[in-house]
Amino acid sequence: LKRATVYEDVDPDSAYIRYFWEALEAMTQEDRSKFINFVCARSRLPASVDKFPMMFRITPPPNSGDDQDELQDDDLPHSQTCFFSLSLPRYSSH
């Protein structure tokens, strides 16, 4: 999934993006399947990157504003399954 990811208006080296990938890697296979269902309405991903129908997009939340340092610990992520997209708030930790 990481190799099939596009970052839109998000720094892929940001701490909260690293937290996201660390959390995803720590999930059980069942929880990963639930995450995939959350972001693309499927239970499994294609076997290889070239088989993905579209790239996975990580974007900031719609109402995140211009303050790139503002933490959003009380916000929830939002997905758009049609676009294989996750709007990820800037969390302060895992």
Side-chain angles (χ1 to χ4, degrees), residues 27-46:
M27 288 180 183
T28 64
Q29 195 61 35
E30 181 181 350
D31 286 340
R32 284 186 203 149
S33 180
K34 289 176 184 177
F35 171 77
I36 297 305
N37 188 268
F38 176 68
V39 296
C40 72
R42 297 177 178 205
S43 59
R44 302 172 72 179
L45 292 174

Side-chain angles (χ1 to χ4, degrees), residues 20-89:
F20 164 76
W21 289 116
E22 290 169 6
L24 194 62
E25 290 166 6
M27 288 180 183
T28 64
Q29 195 61 35
E30 181 181 350
D31 286 340
R32 284 186 203 149
S33 180
K34 289 176 184 177
F35 171 77
I36 297 305
N37 188 268
F38 176 68
V39 296
C40 72
R42 297 177 178 205
S43 59
R44 302 172 72 179
L45 292 174
S48 64
V49 173
D50 60 324
K51 303 255 190 242
F52 276 65
M54 65 182 73
M55 300 295 277
F56 175 53
R57 296 180 320 131
I58 297 179
T59 65
N63 298 323
S64 63
D66 294 330
D67 187 357
Q68 295 297 315
D69 295 324
E70 179 185 344
L71 297 176
Q72 300 164 318
D73 289 336
D74 294 332
D75 295 347
L76 296 173
H78 173 81
S79 70
Q80 292 181 303
T81 57
C82 298
F83 302 108
F84 196 19
S85 168
L86 178 69
S87 295
L88 188 64

